[in-house]
Amino acid sequence: MVFTKVKIHILCSQKKASILNSVKKSAKESVGVEIVFHVKARNDDGASLMDSIIRAFGARSSSTVGFIAREKPEGKLLEGWDEKLRNSKFVLSDVANGFSALFAAKSDEEVTFIKRAAYLTASVMKNFVVSKLENVIDEEKKILHSELMEETEKVILEPSKVNCKLKAENVDICYPPIFQSGGKFDLRPSAVSNNEELYYASAGVIICGVGARYKSYCSNIARTFLIDADPIQSKAYEILLKAHEAVIGSLKPGNKLGASYLAAVSVVEKDAPHMVSCLTKSAGTGIGIEFRELGLKINAKNDEIVKEGMAFNVSIGFQNLQCENSESKNKVFSLLLADTVVVNKDKTDIVTSMSSKALKDVAYSFNEDEEEEKPKSKSDHSGTEPLMSKTTLRSNNREISKEKLRRQHQAELARQKNEETARRLAGGGNEAGENRSSSRSSAELVAYKNINDLPPLSEMMIHVDQKNEAVLLPINGSMVPFHVYFIRNEEIQQDTNRNCYVRISFNLPGIPFKPRDSNSMKFRSIYLKEARFRSKDSRHISEVVQSIKTLRKRVKARESERAERATLVTQERLQLANNRYKPIRLPNLLIRPAFGGRGSKIAGTLEAHVNGFRYSTTRSNERVDVIFANIKHAFFQPAENEMITLLHFHLHNHIMVGNRKTKDVQFYVEVMDMVQNVCGKRSDYDPDELEEEQRERDRKNKINVEFQSFVNRVNDIWVQPQFNDLDLEFDQTLRELGFPGVPHKSSVFVVPSSACLVELIENPFLVVTLCEIEIVNLERVGLGQKNFDMTIVFKDFKRDVLRIDSIPSTSLDGIRVWLDTMDIKYYESRLNLDWRAVLKRVTDDPKTFIKDGGWEFLNSEATDSESDNDNSEESDKSYVQSDTDDNESVVESTEDEEEEDSDGDSEEEDSDEDSEEEKGKRCEELEREASNADREEGNESDSEEDSKRRKAKAAFGKSRGSLSSSMPKRRKLR
């Protein structure tokens, strides 16, 4: 392709010319440029056509022709064109930097692609590379750098392996992943992984680099891992980390790229001047469709101005630093850090920050002994603090160290949570709960507006007017109408004379109503409590009562639905896709909650339009619109161990599905029959059954693929700029982290996702947003318990807590790890708490709650240890005192008892003396006297040592009673 001011010359085959011919007219209309095709025959080398193109765009030898110098021609056609161009008399100019500057600032769509590529890159580094290295080092495996490269490349090309929901066909690698160790390091972007084994001995350094593309847009990340780091290595890494952050901090709109590199140099000169010579000469380049946009190099000589929308691969390192370690492979080491960043108007966004580069997260220690010895040595000439390792490898106490780290993290979360709660309560209390008011805006219910509307009735008997929803009762010779909504109940009675009585009770002031029946309180003029009528026609009375019940039920259902609709939030109208852009369809779906009415359920079609979804069936009244802006969470759950594949939407505001108000709408397909024949014997080798199982598997796979295709196409809509504020994306559940429990009435399998805790199979559904959780309390946790309960407390203290009961104790460790990983503070207790009383205390007196330590009253470990210490100390004191003052204590106790008896029981003895003699002694009295007699005989025969032991035990029990009475009361338990 050759571009001139008014024409574009294209040399190609006939087939490509026919394809490109469609843009010829639009190019002329939009930019006024004419496209000229030079069609080459199949066996023609195109030399003559090249000569005609050269003659067309420049007859003068002084003409300047721009070309991209670093693009090497591939193929005979391009090689021939390159030769003719260089042999011509034109002035050739490299325009690569001009194009680079032209495309340096990225559009919103391009930035989105870069962020998605960066998310994949960081996920591979965090979820695969780090865990793989930890496993290899911990188990002392042998693996080649090239093998690590191949395994990592496969993971990049299959994003689902790292729980990254990107289509595999849109993903590629930027370069083969780089793994280096053992003293041989190359910090250039063109470095490769060699065939040597991974080296992870003491003072070893491992450098890993991963780059991925999403829709041709690149991202990059590099991390350095330290094994039993030498003080020089840890200090060098800290300096490099500060320099790396200095580069990123100076990439602001209006600054020069050279200033960013000089910011890193100044950090190194200040902290370690002798390392300046080892610093890389560049701190990275621009990044986009090209992995290296060389016009945007971050070095001291580049005066290009940073602009909003630019993306950079900030890569900086130390090359060939010297270490004091005696081993030859560790004497020379290098360090490298790289991140992908996007320059915004306000700040620079590090889009690969998900993979941590902090020293505590990249430094490893082989055993705990060496780690404990480091703080003791004060002859550390580096002057740095002792190295805090991320985890302890090759240690027999590895599980203990993980538990210790989790406890430390939970202690930090407790501090942060109490501070956050204090700020929220001090700032005005809780988040407002939902408006659950059921106030109605409908007009008052009136059966007849005037007397002329009453139907003409010939007989004085009870009549039900279905049209006007009224019941007419004969009272004092007149037909008095009552709206059926004000009838409370009706019942039939029959006496021995075959007379039937119907009693009709009315709603009247003072009788408690359901909230939805509050409309009847408007009519204060109705004070008739009940009416009773007699009839000899039992059949007629039964028909009347049945008609009243049916009519009342229908009217109440209508009024209830009207009240529900009155509380709905008004949403924007659904914009339907036009004929040019057809909606994305997914047919043959069922919906939950189901539409009301009789008849079997009818499958419908879900369509994705401009600003929302529409689900409709062949019935005209069965239609539901779900607007994108109203979706809080979207889930896609393929059929694995379940019978259905589903799409689930959890909404911000309620919508009506049929006559039900709901926040959860689900569309699903049954992948196999719910009912199977289990009566007959099944053979493992029956060809018919094997064929049936294969058909079921094929059907399940086909349905899952159709759902996945729909989800991917909808995700492509949601990445458009107009939906960026909604932050929508289909989330998938992580079944391997799930656990059984009872959140409502039945036992279900609860599974986490990236942002929620959900159960989407059984109705009612469970969707808990993790960011709305205040704390989690694990209750009934203790030795010998087969199950425990989970109580979730929300940040909105007006909201009831959520309980998930009967979780197997085998799931306890997994839940602890998951909660800690999601940065959710959890506590453990042996009993169930009365959470209504607890939350009432928090909301009524937040200052006292914060002053008393906030949620730390749930810390059973600290509470139990303190109470045990107090009880043991008091018990020891009382036990010693009872040994020294046995006689005194016994005498005092007997005297006290005699005084109490004489004071409190004297009147009773005087008054009941005669009655006791008459009635005789009760069984309890006889048993008490017999036990006292046995005790006296035992005291005489016991030894002195046994007597002392018994007296001490009595004194100990008495002291425990006084101790318990003086202790503050514990909070009310359920």
Side-chain angles (χ1 to χ4, degrees):
M1 297 177 65
V2 178
F3 294 82
T4 65
K5 290 184 178 181
V6 293
K7 292 182 179 180
I8 300 175
H9 298 270
I10 302 176
L11 175 58
C12 59
S13 63
Q14 180 62 48
K15 183 177 181 180
K16 293 179 181 177
S18 62
I19 296 173
L20 295 172
N21 192 50
S22 60
V23 301
K24 189 173 183 178
K25 182 179 179 181
S26 59
K28 184 69 175 177
E29 293 175 353
S30 59
V31 293
V33 174
E34 181 182 356
I35 297 179
V36 180
F37 294 102
H38 302 267
V39 180
K40 180 181 72 70
R42 178 181 289 272
N43 297 324
D44 187 11
D45 60 356
S48 59
L49 296 174
M50 295 177 192
D51 292 335
S52 64
I53 293 174
I54 291 176
R55 289 194 299 271
F57 73 78
R60 295 173 298 173
S61 60
S62 60
S63 299
T64 301
V65 177
F67 75 111
I68 300 176
R70 63 173 178 266
E71 294 289 337
K72 295 182 180 180
E74 297 180 1
K76 293 182 179 181
L77 185 66
L78 291 179
E79 290 175 357
W81 170 257
D82 185 66
E83 184 179 356
K84 282 186 175 293
L85 195 62
R86 294 184 183 278
N87 292 335
S88 64
K89 297 180 180 180
F90 296 117
V91 178
L92 301 182
S93 176
D94 186 7
V95 294
N97 291 340
F99 275 104
S100 178
L102 182 64
F103 298 112
K106 310 297 187 294
S107 65
D108 292 340
E109 186 177 14
E110 290 177 307
V111 170
T112 300
F113 292 157
I114 292 174
K115 287 183 177 181
R116 290 182 178 271
Y119 179 74
L120 173 60
T121 306
S123 298
V124 172
M125 178 64 75
K126 178 182 179 181
N127 299 329
F128 176 75
V129 173
V130 174
S131 59
K132 181 70 176 180
L133 291 177
E134 288 179 351
N135 184 43
V136 168
I137 298 172
D138 199 18
E139 298 183 8
E140 301 185 24
K141 295 180 180 178
K142 293 184 179 181
I143 190 169
L144 303 180
H145 295 142
S146 56
E147 292 178 4
L148 288 170
M149 175 197 71
E150 293 173 358
E151 293 182 16
T152 306
E153 184 173 332
K154 291 179 181 177
V155 173
I156 295 174
L157 298 176
E158 296 183 36
S160 60
K161 290 186 176 181
V162 287
N163 297 324
C164 192
K165 297 182 287 294
L166 298 175
K167 296 171 67 173
E169 56 265 30
N170 293 333
V171 168
D172 199 0
I173 62 170
C174 283
Y175 57 85
I178 300 172
F179 290 88
Q180 303 178 52
S181 65
K184 296 180 180 180
F185 300 101
D186 185 358
L187 304 187
R188 295 175 298 177
S190 58
V192 294
S193 302
N194 56 32
N195 288 322
E196 295 185 6
E197 290 184 355
L198 183 71
Y199 183 80
Y200 45 83
S202 181
V205 174
I206 302 173
I207 293 179
C208 307
V210 178
R213 293 178 182 266
Y214 179 77
K215 292 189 176 180
S216 301
Y217 283 82
C218 302
S219 68
N220 182 51
I221 189 173
R223 294 290 183 262
T224 301
F225 301 99
L226 309 176
I227 312 299
D228 276 341
D230 186 273
I232 293 178
Q233 293 175 333
S234 59
K235 179 182 179 181
Y237 185 88
E238 289 178 340
I239 295 172
L240 179 64
L241 183 59
K242 290 172 64 177
H244 190 257
E245 292 173 348
V247 175
I248 296 174
S250 60
L251 288 174
K252 297 179 180 179
N255 292 352
K256 293 183 178 180
L257 288 177
S260 299
Y261 180 78
L262 295 177
V265 173
S266 63
V267 169
V268 180
E269 287 180 342
K270 179 181 178 181
D271 294 343
H274 61 283
M275 294 184 183
V276 174
S277 60
C278 301
L279 189 68
T280 54
K281 305 305 178 186
S282 170
T285 61
I287 195 170
I289 291 182
E290 290 188 358
F291 178 66
R292 300 177 66 208
E293 296 179 349
L294 297 180
L296 298 177
K297 266 191 174 181
I298 306 176
N299 57 24
K301 300 178 181 179
N302 197 340
D303 292 333
E304 285 290 330
I305 303 298
V306 180
K307 299 177 182 177
E308 181 183 353
M310 287 184 173
F312 292 93
N313 167 33
V314 180
S315 177
I316 192 170
F318 285 126
Q319 182 80 49
N320 299 330
L321 292 174
Q322 298 292 326
C323 184
E324 296 179 356
N325 198 294
S326 58
E327 294 187 25
S328 58
K329 287 190 174 184
N330 296 338
K331 278 189 175 181
V332 178
F333 68 95
S334 298
L335 305 174
L336 179 66
L337 285 177
D339 275 302
T340 304
V341 301
V342 176
V343 179
N344 298 324
K345 184 177 181 181
D346 301 326
K347 65 175 183 177
T348 302
D349 188 9
I350 307 174
V351 292
T352 51
S353 60
M354 186 174 68
S355 177
S356 176
K357 57 190 174 184
L359 179 60
K360 65 182 181 65
D361 292 325
V362 299
Y364 292 82
S365 176
F366 277 122
N367 52 59
E368 286 184 323
D369 296 336
E370 297 178 6
E371 185 181 352
E372 292 175 357
E373 290 174 1
K374 286 185 179 180
K376 296 179 181 179
S377 62
K378 298 183 179 180
S379 59
D380 208 5
H381 37 253
S382 64
T384 60
E385 296 180 358
L387 178 64
M388 298 299 294
S389 64
K390 176 183 178 182
T391 186
T392 303
L393 303 177
R394 292 191 197 169
S395 170
N396 294 330
N397 298 323
R398 182 177 58 187
E399 295 299 328
I400 298 176
S401 64
K402 288 183 179 179
E403 177 66 21
K404 184 178 179 182
L405 289 174
R406 187 162 71 242
R407 290 186 179 182
Q408 292 175 354
H409 186 217
Q410 284 294 308
E412 178 63 21
L413 286 177
R415 183 188 63 80
Q416 296 175 3
K417 180 58 61 179
N418 285 328
E419 291 178 356
E420 175 192 338
T421 306
R423 287 195 301 269
R424 195 166 68 251
L425 292 175
N430 329 314
E431 299 174 0
E434 297 180 5
N435 183 13
R436 302 177 183 269
S437 173
S438 59
S439 60
R440 301 170 62 247
S441 60
S442 61
E444 295 181 350
L445 297 171
V446 176
Y448 304 102
K449 292 184 179 179
N450 55 62
I451 194 170
N452 297 325
D453 294 337
L454 267 70
L457 299 174
S458 59
E459 297 179 336
M460 297 295 291
M461 57 189 302
I462 299 175
H463 178 75
V464 180
D465 187 353
Q466 298 282 348
K467 181 180 178 181
N468 293 295
E469 300 173 353
V471 178
L472 290 94
L473 303 178
I475 301 177
N476 293 336
S478 301
M479 298 300 293
V480 181
F482 295 88
H483 196 283
V484 73
Y485 198 77
F486 302 106
I487 294 178
R488 189 177 185 186
N489 56 32
E490 56 283 320
E491 58 183 21
I492 300 175
Q493 296 176 350
Q494 193 169 6
D495 60 10
T496 57
N497 296 326
R498 296 185 179 180
N499 292 325
C500 289
Y501 297 90
V502 57
R503 187 176 68 176
I504 300 176
S505 301
F506 297 91
N507 293 320
L508 67 153
I511 296 179
F513 297 94
K514 296 179 181 178
R516 64 186 180 187
D517 295 335
S518 60
N519 185 68
S520 59
M521 294 295 292
K522 298 176 182 178
F523 298 90
R524 299 294 183 181
S525 60
I526 300 176
Y527 289 96
L528 184 63
K529 183 176 181 181
E530 68 178 31
R532 192 172 182 179
F533 299 90
R534 183 181 63 182
S535 173
K536 291 186 177 297
D537 189 352
S538 60
R539 186 178 59 84
H540 171 68
I541 289 295
S542 299
E543 291 177 356
V544 167
V545 170
Q546 187 62 37
S547 299
I548 294 175
K549 286 184 177 180
T550 304
L551 180 59
R552 183 159 54 88
K553 184 177 180 181
R554 189 180 74 223
V555 171
K556 281 196 173 183
R558 186 197 66 203
E559 292 301 313
S560 177
E561 181 181 350
R562 182 180 298 174
E564 293 286 354
R565 290 185 182 275
T567 61
L568 295 178
V569 177
T570 304
Q571 300 186 44
E572 59 180 307
R573 293 178 61 86
L574 180 68
Q575 301 178 19
L576 300 179
N578 51 30
N579 295 330
R580 185 176 180 183
Y581 301 101
K582 294 183 178 180
I584 306 170
R585 289 185 171 90
L586 188 60
N588 301 322
L589 300 180
L590 297 174
I591 185 174
R592 290 196 292 184
F595 294 106
R598 297 181 179 179
S600 60
K601 294 182 290 186
I602 298 178
T605 301
L606 183 65
E607 299 177 345
H609 290 275
V610 177
N611 65 333
F613 298 100
R614 167 164 287 180
Y615 174 82
S616 57
T617 67
T618 55
R619 296 172 181 167
S620 59
N621 62 335
E622 294 185 349
R623 190 176 72 182
V624 175
D625 293 342
V626 180
I627 306 301
F628 292 158
N630 194 28
I631 298 176
K632 187 175 183 180
H633 300 292
F635 302 96
F636 164 51
Q637 183 168 297
E640 294 180 0
N641 295 342
E642 294 84 10
M643 296 291 187
I644 61 174
T645 297
L646 61 88
L647 299 178
H648 188 98
F649 299 106
H650 183 66
L651 309 178
H652 290 284
N653 301 308
H654 290 85
I655 64 171
M656 295 298 294
V657 178
N659 57 356
R660 298 183 184 179
K661 189 171 77 168
T662 181
K663 267 191 175 184
D664 290 278
V665 184
Q666 185 178 111
F667 308 97
Y668 68 98
V669 171
E670 297 176 358
V671 297
M672 60 182 67
D673 294 334
M674 294 291 186
V675 180
Q676 295 182 354
N677 183 15
V678 296
C679 298
K681 294 182 179 179
R682 296 178 60 91
S683 174
D684 295 337
Y685 303 100
D686 187 347
D688 293 336
E689 292 185 358
L690 293 175
E691 185 178 355
E692 182 182 354
E693 290 178 0
Q694 183 61 41
R695 282 198 301 269
E696 289 179 349
R697 283 194 294 268
D698 293 341
R699 169 178 163 81
K700 180 175 71 172
N701 294 334
K702 180 181 177 182
I703 291 174
N704 288 342
V705 169
E706 290 175 354
F707 271 70
Q708 184 67 63
S709 176
F710 179 84
V711 166
N712 292 338
R713 295 175 68 185
V714 173
N715 278 334
D716 291 339
I717 295 177
W718 285 344
V719 299
Q720 296 177 5
Q722 63 266 32
F723 300 121
N724 285 346
D725 295 338
L726 302 181
D727 193 22
L728 290 177
E729 187 177 16
F730 275 99
D731 200 356
Q732 286 196 11
T733 54
L734 307 174
R735 187 174 178 84
E736 60 274 10
L737 300 179
F739 53 90
V742 184
H744 299 294
K745 292 183 179 179
S746 59
S747 179
V748 294
F749 194 74
V750 185
V751 291
S753 70
S754 61
C756 298
L757 182 67
V758 301
E759 191 284 310
L760 306 176
I761 302 298
E762 298 290 336
N763 205 355
F765 307 115
L766 174 68
V767 180
V768 180
T769 306
L770 299 184
C771 63
E772 296 177 357
I773 296 177
E774 175 79 2
I775 60 163
V776 171
N777 194 42
L778 306 179
E779 302 178 347
R780 294 196 301 116
V781 176
L783 296 176
Q785 294 284 351
K786 294 183 179 180
N787 300 301
F788 68 96
D789 306 328
M790 175 190 291
T791 300
I792 298 175
V793 182
F794 297 97
K795 294 181 179 179
D796 180 6
F797 294 142
K798 292 183 179 179
R799 184 176 174 185
D800 291 338
V801 299
L802 173 69
R803 291 180 53 84
I804 302 177
D805 298 326
S806 302
I807 304 173
S809 297
T810 53
S811 303
L812 180 59
D813 290 337
I815 291 176
R816 286 169 175 165
V817 173
W818 171 69
L819 290 173
D820 189 67
T821 304
M822 302 308 295
D823 290 338
I824 297 175
K825 175 58 186 171
Y826 69 88
Y827 294 93
E828 297 180 11
S829 62
R830 297 180 181 177
L831 298 174
N832 296 111
L833 275 70
D834 182 3
W835 281 101
R836 289 188 178 180
V838 172
L839 294 183
K840 187 176 185 301
R841 172 175 168 262
V842 174
T843 54
D844 291 349
D845 193 0
K847 292 184 179 179
T848 304
F849 171 73
I850 297 301
K851 184 179 179 181
D852 292 344
W855 297 110
E856 281 304 291
F857 76 91
L858 295 170
N859 192 348
S860 59
E861 295 181 359
T863 305
D864 291 345
S865 61
E866 292 174 2
S867 61
D868 291 343
N869 292 336
D870 294 341
N871 287 339
S872 62
E873 291 176 3
E874 295 292 335
S875 301
D876 292 342
K877 291 179 181 178
S878 61
Y879 187 83
V880 172
Q881 185 178 359
S882 65
D883 284 340
T884 55
D885 301 328
D886 288 333
N887 298 328
E888 294 179 4
S889 62
V890 173
V891 171
E892 289 175 0
S893 62
T894 55
E895 290 177 354
D896 293 338
E897 291 175 358
E898 291 175 357
E899 290 176 1
E900 291 176 0
D901 293 340
S902 61
D903 294 338
D905 299 334
S906 58
E907 295 180 1
E908 295 181 2
E909 289 178 356
D910 295 337
S911 61
D912 298 336
E913 185 176 357
D914 298 334
S915 61
E916 289 294 336
E917 291 178 355
E918 294 175 358
K919 295 181 181 179
K921 297 182 178 179
R922 298 179 181 179
C923 296
E924 291 82 355
E925 296 285 340
L926 296 173
E927 291 179 0
R928 190 180 301 113
E929 290 181 1
S931 62
N932 291 335
D934 293 339
R935 190 180 299 113
E936 291 175 359
E937 294 178 0
N939 288 341
E940 293 177 359
S941 59
D942 286 345
S943 63
E944 184 179 355
E945 184 179 354
D946 293 336
S947 178
K948 287 185 178 181
R949 188 184 303 114
R950 186 164 48 256
K951 293 173 183 177
K953 185 176 180 181
F956 174 66
K958 188 174 181 180
S959 65
R960 286 192 61 183
S962 62
L963 177 64
S964 62
S965 62
S966 63
M967 290 179 65
K969 293 184 179 180
R970 296 180 66 99
R971 292 168 181 82
K972 186 177 180 181
L973 302 177
R974 187 163 65 108

